[in-house]
Amino acid sequence: MSRFSHVDPDTPTPTRLNRGALRRILGWLRPYRWVILINVCLSLILTGAELMVPLLLQWAIDGVIRAIRSITAAVGEVERAAVFAGAWHDLGLLIGGFVGLFFLMGVVRYFEIYRTMVYAQRFMYGMRRRFFSHLHCLSLRFYDKWKSGQLIARGTADMDALQETIAWAPSHILSSAFMLVGACAAMFWKDPVLFGAVFPILPVLYLLTRRFRIKASDAWRQVRAQTGRLTANVAESIAGARVIQAFAREQRNYEVFGNLTDRLYDTRIETERVHGRYMIGTRSIWMCAQVIVIIFGAWRITVTSSLPEGEGRVTAGTVAAFLVYVAMFFRPIDMLTHIYSQLLHSLAAADRVIEVLDTEPEIVDRPGAVSPTDFEGDVTFDHVTFSYIEGTPVLHDVSFRVRPGEVIALVGPTGAGKTTVCRLIARFYEAQQGYVCIDDRDIRDIAQSSLHKRMGIVLQENFLFAGTVMDNIRYGRPDATDEEVIQCARQIGSHAAIEALPQGFETEVGERGGLLSAGQRQLICFTRAMLAGPRILILDEATSSVDTQTELKVQEALRRLTQRRTCFIVAHRLSTVRSADRVLVIEDGRLTEEGAHQDLLAAGGRYAMMYEEFIRSE
């Protein structure tokens, strides 16, 4: 089982970094470490280039001022022209420097973005495949405990929440930190006095950011919770559309949806209000810092004007560069705040994904499990006890043996354990006590893939995949030809019903087979199971949704197709079990009667009473 605690989709986002999830993410990123390192280097180069822009701006401003002064002080046209030409030469070099620097930044940014997105998509591609593959390995007990909406959310929304952090967090964190340190160092280098005037305002920014992080985390927790509730409501409404209309619940469902939408609206507004206040606060502090730089900068220009250039003299270019460095200091603060908030969400999402990935399948192949190419079909239950919930047994010490080719009917009241017997034969679950054997071999010593390839199962509520009838019948045997599919349908007795569909075997069944009737879906599933050529056939209420005439055709087909196949039939309609070789009566999880149909009637026991009730109901 997962070592992470169970996390509901509405679980609030934590206010602290989840170090366990962070370590797992770092482990997943290890194969991409060189790609990430190159991306970080590109980001640092880009940051270094950005830190050069204020220096070029300073040289440009001071150069223009010097040129104007030189031109004004020049005597005569010749000297003025020479100074003017020199100024233009210097200005051209500065313009060339700006163009070259911006071109370098553009090229570096392009490669940074391209490489980052490629690596992020590769990472997400691998994660999605890992998640999807793991879901197919998990046992049915896992799906008994989890809602499909929860798993869909973790495989989509939570997975997407990882992408931005995976892509940009490493490079942006380091580049923002580099920008902060570089901006502070540049300001101190330019003028320590001016830097000292601005520095006291920086703790105010830190306190504001810290307060925003706390409030923003709480606001986003509420948004995530409300979004989860709204998503669940929408998914449930879509799945239950027919029931909603049947009970005229449209207006009530709309009111519930409206209430959930209103709450989500309020939480989103509160989130934007918190963010807006933070933006106003940071902009106000930024403006205060700019005002301080301008005022103190003007004062520093005045008091240092008599000093030689390069010996502590502050110029207009210095002040302008200082203003740009102040802006560069505030920008990474915003970036780091955003990254931290995003990291909180991503780690919470990662924890939910990890919980699924760390869930170990209960049904696994034993070391050395064999993969027989075929079975005789001998099935044995040896003192089997099983429970879905610990302490509440569903089957109690059940023992029986079925010979190859026998047709066995399982009858009994609802909830007696008939379907559970079939699930244990298919090894969807494992018995807590006793053994289930096929061909005198413990079913746990048989590879699951080999077991299921030689087993056909038709349930009362069958699932069809979106596609055509032909696609669904061929699902268990993809290499079957159209002629083989059609021939199988003729043998089963489903051919006429399928041909009666608008496009016959090429008819689209819709999502979950919603465009077909229950009887049509069941016939298709029956044909699908038989096409796979199973050695063991399980029919769990497989004819409950077909009409009497079709049921007679299916029974006739079964008499032909069950030759050399072991068949288990679960049915409440006892008319479908008369021709069974043996009948197993299960009550309260115990095997109470066993024998042929006529023998059990003659015995006058529980089966005889059930059959008499069935005859009267007919």
Side-chain angles (χ1 to χ4, degrees):
M1 295 297 292
S2 170
R3 62 186 179 87
F4 289 82
S5 59
H6 182 81
V7 184
D8 193 85
D10 291 344
T11 300
T13 301
T15 56
R16 295 182 180 179
L17 291 179
N18 185 327
R19 295 188 177 183
L22 184 59
R23 283 193 296 268
R24 290 296 294 272
I25 291 178
L26 293 177
W28 293 336
L29 290 176
R30 189 171 292 114
Y32 305 91
R33 58 187 179 275
W34 293 112
V35 178
I36 295 174
L37 180 60
I38 293 174
N39 290 348
V40 168
C41 291
L42 290 174
S43 184
L44 293 179
I45 291 172
L46 185 61
T47 303
E50 290 178 352
L51 289 171
M52 291 294 295
V53 172
L55 296 179
L56 292 177
L57 179 63
Q58 176 187 350
W59 295 336
I61 293 175
D62 289 343
V64 170
I65 292 175
R66 282 195 303 269
I68 293 174
R69 288 174 178 172
S70 298
I71 293 172
T72 304
V75 179
E77 293 295 332
V78 176
E79 184 179 354
R80 189 172 298 167
V83 173
F84 190 76
W88 269 109
H89 178 267
D90 294 341
L91 184 60
L93 291 177
L94 284 171
I95 293 174
F98 272 113
V99 172
L101 186 61
F102 290 152
F103 178 78
L104 173 64
M105 292 169 61
V107 171
V108 173
R109 189 178 298 278
Y110 169 79
F111 279 104
E112 180 201 18
I113 294 174
Y114 177 78
R115 290 179 57 85
T116 299
M117 295 311 299
V118 168
Y119 124 76
Q121 291 305 315
R122 286 178 180 172
F123 175 84
M124 296 306 299
Y125 171 79
M127 284 297 299
R128 291 189 179 99
R129 286 180 61 89
R130 179 186 300 179
F131 188 86
F132 188 76
S133 174
H134 187 71
L135 287 180
H136 284 71
C137 296
L138 294 174
S139 309
L140 290 185
R141 195 184 296 273
F142 172 83
Y143 293 98
D144 293 338
K145 298 177 181 179
W146 286 73
K147 297 178 181 178
S148 58
Q150 292 176 325
L151 296 176
I152 292 172
R154 297 184 185 216
T156 54
D158 288 332
M159 200 71 77
D160 289 340
L162 288 173
Q163 182 167 331
E164 184 175 350
T165 299
I166 292 300
W168 297 110
S171 58
H172 280 187
I173 289 175
L174 292 177
S175 63
S176 296
F178 184 50
M179 178 71 77
L180 277 173
V181 174
C184 287
M187 285 189 286
F188 184 81
W189 171 57
K190 283 296 175 187
D191 187 27
V193 176
L194 197 53
F195 176 73
V198 176
F199 184 79
I201 206 170
L202 301 183
V204 179
L205 178 62
Y206 168 76
L207 294 175
L208 177 65
T209 302
R210 187 169 182 271
R211 181 175 177 80
F212 163 74
R213 177 175 61 80
I214 296 173
K215 286 189 170 294
S217 297
D218 182 67
W220 278 110
R221 287 199 303 271
Q222 297 298 324
V223 168
R224 193 167 188 86
Q226 294 300 334
T227 301
R229 296 186 185 103
L230 182 63
T231 302
N233 177 263
V234 171
E236 187 178 54
S237 297
I238 293 173
R242 292 180 177 84
V243 178
I244 291 172
Q245 294 183 13
F247 288 90
R249 286 271 302 186
E250 293 91 342
Q251 184 60 37
R252 175 57 182 162
N253 277 42
Y254 180 76
E255 292 173 359
V256 172
F257 177 81
N259 291 334
L260 292 173
T261 306
D262 289 342
R263 294 175 189 171
L264 178 59
Y265 171 83
D266 292 338
T267 54
R268 291 290 302 193
I269 291 298
E270 178 60 26
T271 302
E272 296 302 324
R273 184 181 292 114
V274 170
H275 190 264
R277 290 171 180 169
Y278 174 72
M279 295 300 294
I280 292 174
T282 55
R283 293 300 182 270
S284 298
I285 295 174
W286 184 6
M287 292 176 64
C288 290
Q290 289 179 317
V291 170
I292 291 173
V293 170
I294 292 172
I295 294 175
F296 275 82
W299 172 72
R300 289 290 291 161
I301 291 173
T302 303
V303 299
T304 62
S305 59
S306 59
L307 296 175
E309 199 168 325
E311 296 184 12
R313 182 179 174 185
V314 176
T315 64
T318 304
V319 175
F322 213 95
L323 287 171
V324 177
Y325 280 126
V326 168
M328 286 184 171
F329 178 86
F330 277 82
R331 190 175 66 189
I333 291 292
D334 286 342
M335 177 63 69
L336 289 173
T337 302
H338 170 74
I339 291 176
Y340 189 85
S341 178
Q342 183 64 37
L343 196 58
L344 289 176
H345 293 297
S346 297
L347 292 180
D351 199 21
R352 285 184 281 271
V353 173
I354 289 168
E355 185 185 9
V356 177
L357 293 177
D358 278 2
T359 301
E360 297 291 339
E362 296 182 8
I363 310 299
V364 295
D365 293 336
R366 283 180 173 176
V370 298
S371 299
T373 57
D374 203 355
F375 298 123
E376 290 297 323
D378 187 301
V379 178
T380 303
F381 269 53
D382 185 8
H383 298 286
V384 171
T385 297
F386 172 79
S387 59
Y388 293 103
I389 302 173
E390 187 176 355
T392 310
V394 177
L395 295 180
H396 304 263
D397 195 29
V398 174
S399 297
F400 62 83
R401 183 165 189 175
V402 179
R403 298 298 180 182
E406 274 194 295
V407 177
I408 303 298
L410 300 171
V411 301
T414 300
K418 305 182 296 297
T419 298
T420 300
V421 170
C422 296
R423 289 175 174 176
L424 293 178
I425 295 172
R427 207 190 172 198
F428 292 153
Y429 298 86
E430 283 189 347
Q432 282 83 27
Q433 298 178 25
Y435 303 92
V436 179
C437 300
I438 294 180
D439 296 347
D440 294 324
R441 179 183 285 123
D442 192 329
I443 199 172
R444 289 169 290 192
D445 292 326
I446 302 174
Q448 294 181 70
S449 59
S450 178
L451 174 66
H452 295 152
K453 282 180 181 178
R454 305 303 293 157
M455 187 173 293
I457 302 175
V458 183
L459 306 174
Q460 181 178 5
E461 292 294 333
N462 280 287
F463 187 93
L464 294 183
F465 296 89
T468 65
V469 173
M470 182 70 74
D471 295 334
N472 275 277
I473 294 177
R474 197 186 277 128
Y475 188 80
R477 188 181 157 197
D479 59 343
T481 64
D482 292 353
E483 290 74 17
E484 288 175 321
V485 172
I486 294 172
Q487 181 62 28
C488 180
R490 286 198 176 100
Q491 291 179 326
I492 295 301
S494 60
H495 181 268
I498 294 174
E499 284 293 344
L501 295 173
Q503 284 81 41
F505 283 85
E506 296 304 319
T507 301
E508 292 285 338
V509 303
E511 184 179 3
R512 303 176 67 92
L515 298 179
L516 305 179
S517 68
Q520 290 169 331
R521 290 196 299 270
Q522 216 158 35
L523 282 174
I524 293 171
C525 291
F526 193 85
T527 310
R528 177 173 64 190
M530 296 308 300
L531 179 66
R535 181 61 61 190
I536 299 174
L537 184 62
I538 297 174
L539 307 178
D540 190 354
E541 292 290 342
T543 60
S544 62
S545 296
V546 298
D547 56 72
T548 304
Q549 185 177 3
T550 303
E551 183 181 358
L552 292 174
K553 293 181 180 179
V554 171
Q555 289 177 355
E556 177 61 30
L558 277 175
R559 277 190 286 273
R560 298 193 304 269
L561 297 174
T562 53
Q563 296 178 4
R564 298 193 71 250
R565 287 187 176 92
T566 304
C567 185
F568 293 85
I569 302 175
V570 178
H572 288 288
R573 292 161 59 176
L574 299 185
S575 59
T576 62
V577 301
R578 291 170 184 166
S579 58
D581 296 318
R582 276 192 295 154
V583 178
L584 304 182
V585 181
I586 300 178
E587 295 183 279
D588 295 327
R590 291 179 170 84
L591 181 59
T592 57
E593 294 183 37
E594 179 181 359
H597 170 71
Q598 294 297 337
D599 294 340
L600 292 179
L601 289 181
R606 176 60 177 157
Y607 178 78
M609 296 174 58
M610 294 170 58
Y611 191 75
E612 288 179 7
E613 293 175 0
F614 168 73
I615 295 298
R616 286 197 299 268
S617 65
E618 291 285 301

